[in-house]
Amino acid sequence: DGGITQSPKYLFRKEGQNVTLSCEQNLNHDAMYWYRQDPGQGLRLIYYSQIVNDFQKGDIAEGYSVSREKKESFPLTVTSAQKNPTAFYLCASSIVGTGMNTEAFFGQGTRLTVV
Amino acid sequence: AQTVTQSQPEMSVQEAETVTLSCTYDTSENNYYLFWYKQPPSRQMILVIRQEAYKQQNATENRFSVNFQKAAKSFSLKISDSQLGDTAMYFCAFMKHRSSGGSNYKLTFGKGTLLTVNP
């Protein structure tokens, strides 16, 4: 089945550690996105990528890093520089705006907790 | 930069009644997409409805319809015959159309409206 997969579903991080959230899609989508969701804040864009080997900062990129070495994969690293990383993280992918089939498909999310 | 505003943090409606969720946006683009997404308690994001800005006809999907007012930059969602399963967070979102050229096709969301359908 085609879709977008995030792993793990739950992740615990100790203070000062870097952690990497996985996002894989087999929809052949060019664009991929990472969002952070906090209560009352909606979905805030961390990073997005429209093609392989290229990505742009979103609204809250500080303390995060990404790579896009393959079209199918867009991992997000939460670094120790991110002071408040506890949140729900959503990955999405989409066709880059070519018609009425344009929509973003989402993974099931990763809940990251700092312990 | 595009912004999306949802002015109603929470709303409630009785089962079988109709409710309208508001969304306004700001952009300098002429052609773009607008979306409503639903996030139930499972937290899985589900597309409810989409609209292309150059299409004047309002989109409909079964019980869901939109009122798209391009000049006013308004994109409201109407849910008819509300059902208990409609209880969820609803997010309005914006993406520019590829015909606009350039880059920066990011998908921008509002802060959401929590809709509760009461029996």
Side-chain angles (χ1 to χ4, degrees):
Chain A
D1 290 336
I4 181 166
T5 302
Q6 286 185 244
S7 61
K9 189 172 182 179
Y10 299 97
L11 187 57
F12 298 89
R13 190 194 95 169
K14 292 183 179 179
E15 295 274 0
Q17 279 186 339
N18 292 355
V19 290
T20 298
L21 283 61
S22 171
C23 180
E24 303 276 335
Q25 54 99 359
N26 60 4
L27 299 166
N28 199 33
H29 286 169
D30 289 313
M32 296 188 74
Y33 313 83
W34 274 106
Y35 294 91
R36 171 178 171 146
Q37 187 174 18
D38 298 283
Q41 295 293 324
L43 275 67
R44 293 185 290 170
L45 183 64
I46 305 172
Y47 270 98
Y48 65 107
S49 169
Q50 293 167 187
I51 56 172
V52 175
N53 292 323
D54 187 42
F55 47 83
Q56 288 79 40
K57 293 182 179 179
D59 303 315
I60 55 165
E62 185 175 352
Y64 300 97
S65 65
V66 294
S67 63
R68 187 85 187 275
E69 297 177 0
K70 299 186 299 181
K71 189 175 186 178
E72 301 80 18
S73 179
F74 192 43
L76 173 73
T77 297
V78 184
T79 75
S80 57
Q82 170 51 238
K83 297 307 179 188
N84 185 23
T86 294
F88 186 67
Y89 292 86
L90 278 164
C91 180
S93 70
S94 76
I95 295 170
V96 178
T98 58
M100 277 305 289
N101 57 345
T102 296
E103 68 174 276
F105 290 80
F106 285 82
Q108 292 187 313
T110 294
R111 174 68 185 178
L112 173 63
T113 303
V114 173
V115 297
Chain B
Q2 294 83 19
T3 59
V4 178
T5 302
Q6 294 179 249
S7 59
Q8 305 151 314
E10 295 187 37
M11 294 190 72
S12 63
V13 64
Q14 291 300 120
E15 195 174 7
E17 293 188 346
T18 295
V19 63
T20 299
L21 280 57
S22 300
C23 173
T24 59
Y25 58 93
D26 188 26
T27 184
S28 59
E29 302 290 342
N30 187 52
N31 199 12
Y32 43 86
Y33 296 97
L34 293 163
F35 307 90
W36 278 99
Y37 278 86
K38 168 184 177 179
Q39 188 182 42
S42 67
R43 307 197 82 165
Q44 179 66 51
M45 295 285 285
I46 302 164
L47 177 68
V48 175
I49 200 164
R50 86 188 118 212
Q51 174 86 38
E52 284 191 82
Y54 76 89
K55 291 188 175 181
Q56 295 184 348
Q57 186 174 6
N58 289 325
T60 62
E61 287 288 345
N62 301 313
R63 298 183 294 108
F64 299 88
S65 62
V66 298
N67 183 6
F68 173 49
Q69 302 289 329
K70 190 174 184 180
K73 296 182 181 176
S74 172
F75 184 61
S76 61
L77 174 70
K78 185 171 81 171
I79 306 174
S80 304
D81 186 24
S82 297
Q83 300 176 0
L84 297 178
D86 295 333
T87 293
M89 282 289 289
Y90 287 82
F91 293 98
C92 180
F94 172 102
M95 179 192 288
K96 78 173 187 179
H97 196 282
R98 191 166 194 170
S99 64
S100 298
S103 59
N104 190 12
Y105 293 98
K106 65 180 182 178
L107 180 61
T108 302
F109 285 83
K111 291 188 176 183
T113 297
L114 177 60
L115 176 67
T116 301
V117 180
N118 298 309

